[in-house]
Amino acid sequence: MPVTGFELFGLIGSIKATADIIDNAVRALKDYHNSDDDIRRLCFALKADSVPLRRFVKVLSDISTAAEGLEISEEDEELHKAIATHLASLEARFREKVAKLSVDDGGRLASRSAGALWRKRDLEKLEKELGDWIRRAWVIYAAIDAEIKTSITTSGRNLSERRMADLVNLFDRLSARPVKSEELLKPFNALKAQGEPARRFAVISTTQPAAGTRLIFEYMYKPYSDNLTADEIDLIGSATRDLASVLYHSNPEQTRILKSPGYCHDSSTRRFGLIYELPSSKTWAVSSAGHARVLSLRELLNRVPHCPLNHKLRFCCNIAQAMLYVHLVGWVHKSIRPDNILVFEDEAIAAKEAEGADSQYQRSFPYHLSSPYLAGFEYARSVKALSDRTSDAEWRVNIYRHPKRQHLVQNEEYTMAHDIYSLGVVFLELGLWGSNGFIPFQKREAIFKGAPADDVKDELLVMCRGTKKADGVAVFMGKRFADLIEYCLHIDEKQEVPTAAFIREVWLKLDEISSAL
């Protein structure tokens, strides 16, 4: 349908009004910070909500300006109407509650009376719902923004560059300049290993980006030949450099992808590697020998989880969100599997447990499943770059690959649809995880090793649907989750998957299921 900007301006007005109401609520509650911890936490949460709402106005104003006279899909139109209606409802309910605060509560709000507790709980529920709305709307309108802007012919800028600019807008880096290539290459000897060296291991920076910075180093490729020229070696490293320039702009809490300050060339092993920054609130896991180690979902799958269902659903939602951002910048990941999904410990919780606190009452695994981060970009490439159509045909990895990508050579060209298939396999394994008799997929050699590609897919579908001897994933995660997995596994390798369609069929449904629990 044609876009006039009128609908977006209506939503902008609702966002401004909601932000004003939140600010009024914070002012009404500020006198009770010292007398009630719940109110103090509520105020902090409301302030945190107000900031993205104000920034949201700028993003939507940009969209409404760029969208004049253009066409958007029916899916985008439906998403917009649903998100606008939801906010209008939130605004009305917030306005009602805040009006009662200023008139009725006075000093009694901080009391322990039933009425005061009821009002606080109402506000806490509304704040949580608003936080969920902000999270969904950011993703939806970033996608609409990207689709509108990439349909405009911009002289001198290619599709990948425009998508990168859209993603930078989303990260609130509107004034950021592209990082210079020479700034990305870091000296390998500036990284001090904290754990056992492996394909991916924990390091501390001794000089760059700052001494003492906690980092992760991940080798990208197999060693190159020792008889290459300097130009040939630089060509091999250029793919890592291009990827680092994309991840340099990542905001881990929004993208679920770790920020990369750059990359290294380890000439002693003839390999290039990517550097990731560890989020400030997170810490590495520690091995039994006391070494720092980077924990992946692959390792967690070998243990029995005792976390609530909504933790697993939120975990899946975060992985889908990470993949979405990879696609928004015009790349394909090519290696979405448990080995490349990282999980860190909360630093504060780790410190408490080190003091001897009972882990069952701490927010740590297996009672709590921390949010994941997507890594393992060794095969990732821009969708504009040519695919070499080769693979290693390793059966443990092929489980997560589309059937058309499980051969040594002459595979189908890798597309975004193949990433979605891999995502479905990971969701299936996560959904069955913790069920009676669960065995991680990579330990099911009798089923998967040597099996034809289509037979691997058929076996996964049987696991999803269940048999007389084994329950399907719907028994543990619900039918909507099972349907979502089937959508991913049935995706056609040649099918173009619009961003809005992926959001509607996968990410938004996951988020709705998770938020309902």
Side-chain angles (χ1 to χ4, degrees), residues 263-277:
Y263 70 106
C264 286
H265 179 204
D266 181 3
S267 57
S268 63
T269 63
R270 304 194 306 278
R271 289 189 290 180
F272 287 88
L274 195 66
I275 305 169
Y276 302 103
E277 287 184 5

Side-chain angles (χ1 to χ4, degrees), residues 449-460:
K449 186 176 182 180
D454 288 333
D455 289 355
V456 171
K457 176 181 175 179
D458 289 343
E459 182 62 35
L460 293 171

Side-chain angles (χ1 to χ4, degrees), residues 332-494:
V332 285
H333 188 277
K334 300 180 68 174
S335 300
I336 296 176
R337 60 180 190 267
D339 312 72
N340 293 327
I341 298 168
L342 308 186
V343 182
F344 302 103
E345 294 182 350
D346 184 287
E347 195 166 45
I349 293 168
K352 287 182 180 179
E353 293 191 350
E355 296 173 358
D358 188 342
S359 62
Q360 184 169 354
Y361 298 99
Q362 303 298 333
R363 295 178 66 252
S364 60
F365 188 82
Y367 304 98
H368 176 85
L369 188 58
S370 298
S371 297
Y373 297 89
L374 184 62
F377 288 87
E378 66 265 42
Y379 298 114
R381 63 168 177 83
S382 167
V383 293
K384 298 192 72 177
L386 292 176
S387 173
D388 60 15
R389 304 194 179 195
T390 62
S391 176
D392 53 24
E394 163 60 39
W395 73 268
R396 291 182 179 85
V397 179
N398 273 344
I399 296 169
Y400 304 94
R401 288 177 176 147
H402 192 280
K404 299 297 184 182
R405 291 289 307 185
Q406 293 187 23
H407 310 290
L408 279 170
V409 294
Q410 296 182 337
N411 287 292
E412 293 286 344
E413 180 177 356
Y414 202 97
T415 68
M416 292 179 179
H418 293 142
D419 274 348
I420 295 175
Y421 178 91
S422 300
L423 192 71
V425 181
V426 172
F427 286 173
L428 175 60
E429 191 167 19
L430 277 165
L432 295 173
W433 183 32
S435 61
N436 187 31
F438 171 79
I439 301 174
F441 290 177
Q442 291 191 347
K443 290 187 175 182
R444 299 190 179 195
E445 185 172 350
I447 295 176
F448 293 117
K449 186 176 182 180
D454 288 333
D455 289 355
V456 171
K457 176 181 175 179
D458 289 343
E459 182 62 35
L460 293 171
L461 287 169
V462 168
M463 291 180 182
C464 180
R465 296 165 181 166
T467 65
K468 291 182 178 180
K469 295 183 179 180
D471 291 326
V473 73
V475 174
F476 311 105
M477 303 292 288
K479 186 178 184 301
R480 292 179 67 190
F481 187 82
D483 290 344
L484 185 150
I485 292 172
E486 292 226 18
Y487 171 85
C488 295
L489 295 184
H490 281 301
I491 201 158
D492 184 346
E493 70 275 7
K494 296 184 183 297

